[in-house]
Coordinates of all heavy atoms in Angstrom, one line a residue:
M1 N 40.5 5.3 208.4 CA 40.5 4.2 207.5 C 41.5 4.5 206.3 O 42.1 3.6 205.8 CB 39.1 3.8 207.0 CG 39.1 2.6 206.2 SD 39.4 1.2 207.2 CE 38.9 -0.1 206.1
D2 N 41.5 5.8 205.9 CA 42.4 6.2 204.8 C 43.8 6.0 205.2 O 44.7 5.7 204.3 CB 42.1 7.6 204.4 CG 40.9 7.7 203.5 OD1 40.4 6.7 203.0 OD2 40.4 8.9 203.3
L3 N 44.2 6.2 206.5 CA 45.6 6.0 206.9 C 46.0 4.6 206.7 O 47.1 4.3 206.2 CB 45.7 6.4 208.3 CG 47.1 6.3 208.9 CD1 48.1 7.3 208.1 CD2 47.1 6.7 210.4
I4 N 45.1 3.6 207.0 CA 45.5 2.2 206.8 C 45.7 1.9 205.3 O 46.6 1.2 205.0 CB 44.4 1.3 207.4 CG1 44.3 1.5 208.9 CG2 44.6 -0.1 207.1 CD1 43.2 0.9 209.6
K5 N 44.8 2.5 204.5 CA 44.9 2.2 203.1 C 46.2 2.8 202.5 O 46.9 2.2 201.7 CB 43.7 2.8 202.3 CG 42.4 2.1 202.6 CD 41.3 2.8 201.8 CE 40.0 2.3 202.2 NZ 38.9 3.0 201.6
I6 N 46.6 4.0 203.0 CA 47.9 4.6 202.6 C 49.1 3.8 203.0 O 50.0 3.6 202.3 CB 47.9 6.1 203.0 CG1 46.9 6.9 202.3 CG2 49.3 6.7 202.8 CD1 46.8 8.4 202.7
I7 N 49.0 3.3 204.2 CA 50.1 2.5 204.7 C 50.2 1.2 203.9 O 51.3 0.8 203.5 CB 49.9 2.1 206.2 CG1 50.1 3.4 207.1 CG2 50.9 1.0 206.6 CD1 49.8 3.2 208.5
L8 N 49.1 0.6 203.6 CA 49.1 -0.6 202.7 C 49.6 -0.2 201.3 O 50.2 -1.0 200.6 CB 47.7 -1.2 202.6 CG 47.3 -2.0 203.9 CD1 45.9 -2.4 203.8 CD2 48.2 -3.2 204.1
A9 N 49.2 1.0 200.8 CA 49.7 1.4 199.5 C 51.2 1.6 199.4 O 51.8 1.3 198.4 CB 49.0 2.7 199.1
V10 N 51.8 2.0 200.5 CA 53.3 2.1 200.5 C 53.9 0.7 200.6 O 54.9 0.5 199.9 CB 53.7 3.0 201.7 CG1 55.2 2.9 201.9 CG2 53.2 4.4 201.5
I11 N 53.3 -0.2 201.3 CA 53.9 -1.6 201.4 C 53.6 -2.4 200.2 O 54.5 -3.0 199.6 CB 53.3 -2.3 202.7 CG1 53.7 -1.5 203.9 CG2 53.8 -3.7 202.7 CD1 53.0 -2.0 205.2
L12 N 52.4 -2.4 199.7 CA 52.0 -3.1 198.5 C 51.0 -2.3 197.8 O 49.8 -2.4 198.0 CB 51.4 -4.5 198.9 CG 51.2 -5.5 197.8 CD1 52.5 -5.8 197.2 CD2 50.6 -6.7 198.4
P13 N 51.4 -1.5 196.8 CA 50.5 -0.5 196.1 C 49.2 -1.1 195.5 O 48.2 -0.5 195.7 CB 51.4 0.1 195.0 CG 52.8 -0.1 195.5 CD 52.8 -1.3 196.3
P14 N 49.3 -2.3 194.8 CA 48.0 -2.8 194.3 C 47.0 -3.1 195.4 O 45.8 -3.0 195.1 CB 48.4 -4.0 193.5 CG 49.8 -3.8 193.2 CD 50.4 -3.0 194.3
L15 N 47.4 -3.5 196.6 CA 46.5 -3.9 197.6 C 45.7 -2.6 198.1 O 44.5 -2.6 198.3 CB 47.2 -4.5 198.8 CG 46.3 -4.9 200.0 CD1 45.3 -5.9 199.5 CD2 47.2 -5.5 201.1
G16 N 46.5 -1.5 198.3 CA 45.8 -0.3 198.7 C 44.8 0.2 197.6 O 43.8 0.7 198.0
T17 N 45.2 0.1 196.4 CA 44.3 0.5 195.3 C 43.1 -0.4 195.2 O 42.0 0.1 195.1 CB 45.1 0.4 193.9 OG1 46.2 1.2 194.0 CG2 44.2 1.0 192.8
A18 N 43.3 -1.7 195.4 CA 42.1 -2.6 195.4 C 41.2 -2.4 196.5 O 40.0 -2.5 196.3 CB 42.6 -4.1 195.4
M19 N 41.7 -2.0 197.7 CA 40.8 -1.7 198.8 C 39.9 -0.4 198.5 O 38.8 -0.3 199.0 CB 41.6 -1.5 200.1 CG 42.2 -2.8 200.6 SD 43.0 -2.5 202.2 CE 41.7 -2.0 203.2
E20 N 40.5 0.5 197.7 CA 39.8 1.7 197.4 C 38.8 1.6 196.3 O 37.6 2.0 196.4 CB 40.8 2.8 197.1 CG 40.1 4.2 196.9 CD 39.6 4.7 198.2 OE1 40.0 4.4 199.3 OE2 38.6 5.5 198.1
V21 N 39.2 1.0 195.2 CA 38.4 0.9 194.0 C 38.0 -0.5 193.5 O 37.2 -0.6 192.5 CB 39.1 1.7 192.8 CG1 39.2 3.1 193.1 CG2 40.4 1.0 192.4
G22 N 38.4 -1.5 194.2 CA 38.1 -2.9 193.7 C 39.0 -3.3 192.6 O 40.0 -2.7 192.3
L23 N 38.5 -4.2 191.8 CA 39.3 -4.7 190.7 C 38.9 -4.0 189.4 O 38.5 -4.6 188.4 CB 39.0 -6.2 190.5 CG 39.5 -7.1 191.7 CD1 39.1 -8.5 191.4 CD2 40.9 -6.9 191.9
S24 N 39.0 -2.7 189.4 CA 38.7 -1.8 188.3 C 39.9 -1.6 187.4 O 41.0 -2.2 187.7 CB 38.1 -0.5 188.7 OG 39.1 0.2 189.4
K25 N 39.8 -0.7 186.4 CA 41.0 -0.4 185.6 C 42.1 0.2 186.4 O 43.3 0.0 186.0 CB 40.5 0.5 184.4 CG 40.0 1.8 184.9 CD 39.6 2.7 183.7 CE 39.1 4.0 184.2 NZ 38.7 4.9 183.2
H26 N 41.8 1.0 187.4 CA 42.8 1.6 188.2 C 43.7 0.5 188.9 O 44.9 0.7 189.0 CB 42.2 2.5 189.3 CG 41.5 3.7 188.7 ND1 42.2 4.7 188.0 CD2 40.2 4.0 188.6 CE1 41.3 5.6 187.6 NE2 40.1 5.2 187.9
F27 N 43.1 -0.5 189.4 CA 43.8 -1.6 190.0 C 44.8 -2.2 189.0 O 46.0 -2.4 189.3 CB 42.9 -2.7 190.5 CG 43.5 -3.9 191.0 CD1 44.2 -4.0 192.2 CD2 43.5 -5.1 190.2 CE1 44.9 -5.1 192.6 CE2 44.1 -6.3 190.6 CZ 44.8 -6.3 191.8
W28 N 44.3 -2.6 187.8 CA 45.2 -3.2 186.8 C 46.3 -2.2 186.4 O 47.4 -2.6 186.1 CB 44.4 -3.7 185.7 CG 43.4 -4.8 186.1 CD1 42.1 -4.7 186.2 CD2 43.8 -6.1 186.6 NE1 41.6 -5.9 186.7 CE2 42.6 -6.7 186.9 CE3 45.0 -6.8 186.7 CZ2 42.6 -8.0 187.4 CZ3 45.0 -8.1 187.2 CH2 43.8 -8.7 187.6
F29 N 46.0 -1.0 186.2 CA 47.0 0.0 185.9 C 48.0 0.2 186.9 O 49.2 0.3 186.7 CB 46.3 1.4 185.6 CG 47.2 2.5 185.1 CD1 47.9 2.4 183.9 CD2 47.4 3.6 185.9 CE1 48.7 3.3 183.5 CE2 48.3 4.6 185.5 CZ 49.0 4.5 184.3
N30 N 47.6 0.0 188.2 CA 48.5 0.1 189.3 C 49.5 -1.1 189.3 O 50.7 -1.0 189.6 CB 47.8 0.2 190.6 CG 48.7 0.5 191.8 OD1 49.3 -0.4 192.4 ND2 48.9 1.8 192.0
I31 N 49.0 -2.3 189.0 CA 49.8 -3.4 188.9 C 50.9 -3.2 187.8 O 52.1 -3.5 188.0 CB 49.0 -4.7 188.6 CG1 48.2 -5.1 189.8 CG2 49.9 -5.8 188.1 CD1 47.4 -6.3 189.7
V32 N 50.5 -2.7 186.7 CA 51.5 -2.4 185.6 C 52.5 -1.4 186.1 O 53.7 -1.6 185.9 CB 50.8 -1.9 184.3 CG1 51.8 -1.4 183.3 CG2 49.9 -3.0 183.7
L33 N 52.1 -0.3 186.7 CA 53.0 0.7 187.2 C 54.0 0.1 188.3 O 55.2 0.4 188.3 CB 52.3 1.9 187.8 CG 51.6 2.8 186.9 CD1 50.8 3.9 187.6 CD2 52.7 3.5 186.0
T34 N 53.4 -0.8 189.1 CA 54.3 -1.4 190.2 C 55.3 -2.3 189.6 O 56.5 -2.4 190.0 CB 53.4 -2.1 191.2 OG1 52.5 -1.2 191.8 CG2 54.2 -2.7 192.3
L35 N 54.9 -3.0 188.5 CA 55.9 -3.9 187.8 C 57.0 -3.1 187.1 O 58.1 -3.6 187.0 CB 55.2 -4.8 186.9 CG 54.3 -5.9 187.5 CD1 53.5 -6.7 186.4 CD2 55.1 -6.9 188.3
L36 N 56.6 -2.0 186.6 CA 57.6 -1.1 185.9 C 58.5 -0.4 186.8 O 59.6 -0.1 186.5 CB 56.9 -0.1 185.0 CG 56.1 -0.7 183.8 CD1 55.3 0.4 183.1 CD2 57.1 -1.4 182.9
G37 N 58.0 -0.1 188.0 CA 58.8 0.6 189.0 C 58.0 0.7 190.3 O 56.8 1.1 190.2
Y38 N 58.6 0.4 191.4 CA 57.8 0.4 192.7 C 57.3 1.8 193.0 O 56.2 1.9 193.5 CB 58.8 -0.1 193.8 CG 58.1 -0.4 195.1 CD1 57.2 -1.4 195.2 CD2 58.4 0.4 196.2 CE1 56.5 -1.7 196.4 CE2 57.7 0.2 197.4 CZ 56.8 -0.9 197.5 OH 56.2 -1.1 198.7
I39 N 58.1 2.8 192.8 CA 57.7 4.2 193.2 C 56.5 4.7 192.4 O 55.6 5.3 193.0 CB 58.9 5.2 193.1 CG1 60.1 4.7 194.0 CG2 58.5 6.6 193.4 CD1 59.7 4.7 195.4
P40 N 56.5 4.5 191.1 CA 55.3 4.9 190.3 C 54.0 4.2 190.8 O 52.9 4.9 190.9 CB 55.5 4.6 188.9 CG 57.0 4.5 188.8 CD 57.5 4.1 190.1
G41 N 54.1 3.0 191.2 CA 53.0 2.3 191.8 C 52.5 2.9 193.1 O 51.3 3.0 193.3
I42 N 53.4 3.3 193.9 CA 53.1 3.9 195.2 C 52.4 5.3 195.0 O 51.4 5.6 195.6 CB 54.3 4.1 196.1 CG1 54.9 2.8 196.6 CG2 54.0 5.0 197.3 CD1 56.2 2.9 197.3
V43 N 53.0 6.1 194.1 CA 52.4 7.4 193.8 C 51.0 7.3 193.3 O 50.1 8.0 193.7 CB 53.3 8.2 192.8 CG1 52.7 9.4 192.3 CG2 54.7 8.5 193.4
H44 N 50.8 6.4 192.3 CA 49.4 6.2 191.8 C 48.5 5.7 192.9 O 47.3 6.2 192.9 CB 49.5 5.2 190.6 CG 48.2 4.9 190.0 ND1 47.5 3.7 190.3 CD2 47.4 5.6 189.2 CE1 46.3 3.8 189.6 NE2 46.3 4.9 188.9
A45 N 48.9 4.8 193.7 CA 48.0 4.2 194.7 C 47.6 5.3 195.7 O 46.4 5.5 196.1 CB 48.7 3.1 195.5
V46 N 48.6 6.1 196.2 CA 48.3 7.2 197.1 C 47.4 8.3 196.4 O 46.5 8.8 197.1 CB 49.6 7.8 197.7 CG1 49.3 9.1 198.4 CG2 50.3 6.8 198.5
Y47 N 47.6 8.5 195.2 CA 46.7 9.5 194.5 C 45.3 9.0 194.4 O 44.4 9.7 194.7 CB 47.3 9.7 193.0 CG 46.3 10.5 192.2 CD1 46.2 11.8 192.3 CD2 45.6 9.8 191.2 CE1 45.3 12.5 191.5 CE2 44.7 10.5 190.4 CZ 44.5 11.9 190.6 OH 43.6 12.6 189.8
I48 N 45.1 7.7 194.1 CA 43.8 7.1 194.0 C 43.1 7.2 195.4 O 41.9 7.6 195.5 CB 43.8 5.7 193.5 CG1 44.3 5.6 192.0 CG2 42.5 5.0 193.7 CD1 43.3 6.3 191.1
I49 N 43.8 6.9 196.4 CA 43.2 6.9 197.8 C 42.9 8.4 198.2 O 41.8 8.6 198.8 CB 44.1 6.2 198.8 CG1 44.2 4.7 198.5 CG2 43.7 6.4 200.2 CD1 45.3 4.0 199.2
A50 N 43.8 9.3 197.9 CA 43.6 10.7 198.4 C 42.5 11.4 197.6 O 41.9 12.3 198.2 CB 45.0 11.4 198.2
R51 N 42.3 11.1 196.4 CA 41.3 11.8 195.6 C 39.9 11.5 196.0 O 39.0 12.2 195.6 CB 41.5 11.7 194.1 CG 41.0 10.4 193.5 CD 41.2 10.3 192.1 NE 40.8 9.0 191.7 CZ 39.9 8.7 190.8 NH1 39.4 9.7 190.1 NH2 39.6 7.5 190.5
R52 N 39.6 10.4 196.6 CA 38.3 10.0 197.0 C 37.9 10.5 198.4 O 38.6 10.6 199.3 CB 38.1 8.5 196.9 CG 38.1 8.1 195.5 CD 37.8 6.6 195.4 NE 37.9 6.2 194.0 CZ 36.9 5.8 193.3 NH1 35.7 5.8 193.8 NH2 37.1 5.4 192.1

C-alpha cells in the first residue's frame, strides 16, 4: 500500500499526503510546498509516507 501512496505522491503530492494523514496540518503544508515548487512538495509527501 505504501508503494501506491509514494507513486501518487510523485504524481500529485497533496493526494499522497492526504491518503496518509488526512486533512491535517501536514496536508495543508504540502499544498503550500507544492505551490511554491513541485519538488519540495514531492520530498515532503514521500517523507510523511516513509516515516509512518
Side-chain angles (χ1 to χ4, degrees):
M1 189 66 167
D2 282 343
L3 181 62
I4 294 171
K5 291 178 189 175
I6 290 175
I7 291 171
L8 286 173
V10 171
I11 296 170
L12 191 62
L15 180 60
T17 305
M19 288 182 65
E20 186 68 28
V21 296
L23 298 178
S24 69
K25 63 180 178 179
H26 294 292
F27 170 75
W28 297 108
F29 184 63
N30 190 272
I31 287 181
V32 171
L33 285 175
T34 303
L35 290 174
L36 292 175
Y38 188 68
I39 300 299
I42 292 173
V43 171
H44 179 257
V46 171
Y47 170 75
I48 292 296
I49 293 168
R51 79 178 173 125
R52 291 187 182 248

